[in-house]
Amino acid sequence: MSNKSRVILLAAFSSFLGPLAANAANHPYQGICEASAAAMVDKSHMAVASDDFSAIMIYERGKPEPVAKFPVDDVTDIEGAARIGDTIFWLTSHSLNSSGEDKKKRKELFATTVSADGTLSGSGEVYRNLRADMAAALKLSEDDLKTHVNIEGLAATPEGHLLIGLRGPVPDNRAIVLELANPMPLVKLGTGDTGSPIITQVVTMDLSDGPGTTGRGVRDIERVGNRYLVLAGSEPDGGNPPPKLFWWDGNADGRVTPGPDADFSGMTPEAIMVWNDHEGEILSDSGGAMIKGVACADKDPPKDAFFPAIDVKF
């Protein structure tokens, strides 16, 4: 996500707590600013990835300082996370970088294992051909898809499949979700054919505000009980319509209903953290926020780097 188009959260404040005071539901997590994906470690801890930081951070729920880090080498733009059993899958954007370059490190599906003590360890192997698989499922060439695609959401199904939500493209004002049926063998975990991705369905959904309005893309998607919470946002960074939550029950025709109310004022919501069937958090990417005169970026985050989150009830 480009810094130019971000909401500048701290423009008039010298302390990172300043802009959060207006909304009591807001609370910050420290250490990084470009939060982009999250998954549960245990009932009180979450793992959070950044657009451009060299580690996955572990936080205790509601506590600002990270309690641990898991290094990730030569990977960038992690945008989705989903847990299946003791395995957390991490997915990068698969998009071109801001200079239009096609970087190998932006095209990764990889896994970590959660141990009994809540630490992460590397697991399996990296899978790097997903963009071509998606292009085939969408009946496009990879060359056509790569200039528009931007993966941002990832969710696990009860069957152990992965749902991949695209921020873009948004053809005919409808967002795209693809179902990947065999993530474990793709990263050389479990059993099965490691070389044959199985995309079982492509679902399109209307995430607009109604007829005649602009459609949104998927910014994240997470399972809550027997349905899915979709965090929707404009396809371009910082554009309209504003972010909004929807419920999807997994139907093949993509019908959605309005989701929980959430005040996203001063936020660029990027990730959903589901704690249980009734409570969760929405995490915001605050990259570009001015912290003591420096625009926060996770390639080299300043000492007071942070990202805000808000609590949501289901």
Side-chain angles (χ1 to χ4, degrees):
M1 181 175 289
S2 64
N3 288 341
K4 181 179 179 181
S5 59
R6 295 184 196 280
V7 176
I8 304 302
L9 301 177
L10 298 185
F13 299 87
S14 59
S15 164
F16 69 85
L17 292 176
L20 305 178
N23 183 343
N26 272 343
H27 50 277
Y29 291 97
Q30 300 172 7
I32 56 175
C33 51
E34 298 179 83
S36 56
M40 180 183 286
V41 173
D42 58 35
K43 291 182 178 180
S44 59
H45 292 85
M46 63 178 174
V48 179
S50 157
D51 283 349
D52 215 9
F53 193 56
S54 58
I56 293 168
M57 311 288 271
I58 309 296
Y59 294 93
E60 185 175 358
R61 181 180 181 181
K63 303 291 182 63
E65 295 185 5
V67 298
K69 299 179 183 179
F70 174 74
V72 286
D73 299 323
D74 201 29
V75 58
T76 190
D77 212 19
I78 299 172
E79 294 288 352
R83 180 167 173 169
I84 299 174
D86 291 334
T87 300
I88 299 178
F89 284 90
W90 303 91
L91 187 57
T92 61
S93 69
H94 286 63
S95 64
L96 305 181
N97 69 10
S98 58
S99 300
E101 298 171 311
D102 197 7
K103 294 290 189 178
K104 182 179 177 181
K105 63 185 180 179
R106 296 170 68 91
K107 296 180 290 185
E108 296 196 7
L109 172 67
F110 67 97
T112 55
T113 296
V114 182
S115 67
D117 64 359
T119 57
L120 300 184
S121 59
S123 186
E125 298 182 9
V126 177
Y127 184 71
R128 291 191 172 90
N129 202 48
L130 186 60
R131 194 172 66 195
D133 305 330
M134 293 191 304
L138 295 170
K139 296 180 172 54
L140 298 170
S141 72
E142 187 177 0
D143 281 344
D144 287 339
L145 183 63
K146 72 181 182 183
T147 58
H148 303 290
V149 72
N150 212 320
I151 296 171
E152 292 231 0
L154 196 66
T157 74
E159 300 80 17
H161 301 178
L162 289 178
L163 298 175
I164 301 168
L166 305 187
R167 174 180 125 194
V170 185
D172 300 320
N173 264 353
R174 294 182 69 87
I176 297 174
V177 174
L178 303 97
E179 183 171 358
L180 177 66
N182 59 336
M184 287 288 188
L186 283 186
V187 296
K188 304 293 181 67
L189 296 173
T191 59
D193 181 357
T194 60
S196 301
I198 303 171
I199 295 179
T200 54
Q201 65 173 336
V202 177
V203 177
T204 65
M205 52 185 67
D206 181 0
L207 302 178
S208 73
D209 292 323
T213 63
T214 302
R216 298 173 174 88
V218 176
R219 292 290 174 137
D220 201 6
I221 180 170
E222 288 293 336
R223 182 159 58 95
V224 181
N226 60 0
R227 56 183 177 171
Y228 298 91
L229 184 63
V230 180
L231 173 59
S234 62
E235 182 174 1
D237 290 333
N240 283 312
K244 189 174 181 178
L245 294 170
F246 293 87
W247 289 115
W248 175 50
D249 67 7
N251 59 77
D253 61 5
R255 286 176 288 105
V256 297
T257 56
D261 290 332
D263 181 2
F264 293 131
S265 301
M267 296 178 66
T268 304
E270 285 282 317
I272 304 169
M273 177 62 223
V274 175
W275 292 111
N276 53 55
D277 288 353
H278 306 287
E279 299 173 305
E281 295 181 54
I282 307 296
L283 314 183
S284 177
D285 182 338
S286 61
M290 300 303 294
I291 298 178
K292 297 181 179 177
V294 177
C296 193
D298 282 345
K299 281 186 178 179
D300 185 20
K303 181 176 180 292
D304 293 329
F306 81 101
F307 63 90
I310 59 170
D311 295 320
V312 289
K313 302 288 186 181
F314 310 135

